[in-house]
Amino acid sequence: LGKFNLDGIPPMPRGQPQIDVCYDIDANGILNVSAVEKSSGKEQKITITNDKGRLSQDEIERMVEEAEKYKAEDDANKNRVEAKNALENYCYSLKSSIGSDEVKDKIPADDKAKLESAIEETISWLDANVSAEKEEYEEKRKALEEIANPILQSMAGGAGGMPGGMPGGMPGGMPDMSGMGGAPGAAPAADPASGP
């Protein structure tokens, strides 16, 4: 940081010279060092400023401005990535939906082929356009929804109340109830007979 010599101290036996060294740091990080030899009154001082490694006010302001500027870019990038992920998730959830056992037999083959080809086309577009804008991802999703929604609605609506009613009502209720009702009644009757 810095150095100074306290010269001109009269010769004395070892341990006799008394030197007061004072270190003082002010609020701005400036270090003042002073040394006084008590018997002769000789004094030396040095001031050490910490300019190295510290940012000037201009640099701090420039960094704050850059942070503000890049914040908008970061937000736009975040929105773009979210739109890309939403489109990707939509594609894969549609793909798994139309491939699931409950749905695959209810969609007409030509509609299913049309939807699968639209999904594959969108996934290929995603792979080829990794850095597309948010709006492009949203347009692609809308285009895919325009193909998928009518097919999915006709599947749900074409069967009347069956898709909504049957899985929740009939399979969940009737067979389970008849199975439950028949099994406990039959089991106690069979056990005592087979036991003796």
Side-chain angles (χ1 to χ4, degrees), residues 5-29:
N5 293 326
L6 188 57
D7 297 323
I9 299 172
M12 294 181 225
R14 193 171 121 156
Q16 281 246 323
Q18 290 190 336
I19 301 172
D20 279 348
V21 179
C22 182
Y23 298 95
D24 177 40
I25 299 179
D26 70 7
N28 295 322

Side-chain angles (χ1 to χ4, degrees), residues 31-163:
L31 174 66
N32 293 305
V33 181
S34 60
V36 180
E37 198 281 313
K38 286 189 171 182
S39 67
S40 66
K42 289 259 183 203
E43 182 177 4
Q44 278 284 21
K45 290 182 184 175
I46 187 170
T47 300
I48 299 167
T49 57
N50 187 11
D51 291 333
K52 293 187 199 102
R54 294 189 78 191
L55 297 173
S56 70
Q57 194 58 37
D58 289 345
E59 289 173 312
I60 291 169
E61 286 171 13
R62 181 183 53 80
M63 290 173 86
V64 169
E65 284 171 20
E66 282 178 5
E68 290 295 323
K69 184 176 86 177
Y70 292 128
K71 183 184 186 305
E73 277 181 38
D74 289 346
D75 288 345
N77 205 27
K78 177 181 167 239
N79 292 338
R80 188 182 65 75
V81 169
E82 284 174 355
K84 177 184 183 284
N85 290 345
L87 176 58
E88 207 166 31
N89 291 341
Y90 184 65
C91 287
Y92 287 108
S93 74
L94 264 181
K95 200 174 186 178
S96 69
S97 291
I98 62 172
S100 69
D101 292 337
E102 310 97 54
V103 176
K104 67 179 174 186
D105 299 330
K106 295 178 185 171
I107 300 178
D110 57 335
D111 282 350
K112 185 175 180 185
K114 180 180 172 185
L115 189 53
E116 283 175 340
S117 117
I119 292 168
E120 289 306 320
E121 185 183 307
T122 306
I123 290 172
S124 299
W125 181 87
L126 270 168
D127 293 340
N129 297 283
V130 194
S131 57
E133 291 301 315
K134 174 188 172 195
E135 291 75 20
E136 293 176 87
Y137 291 123
E138 289 172 348
E139 284 172 25
K140 279 289 181 186
R141 181 174 173 144
K142 280 181 191 155
L144 185 57
E145 283 173 349
E146 286 171 10
I147 296 168
N149 287 346
I151 293 171
L152 296 175
Q153 286 169 355
S154 70
M155 180 197 76
M162 294 284 269

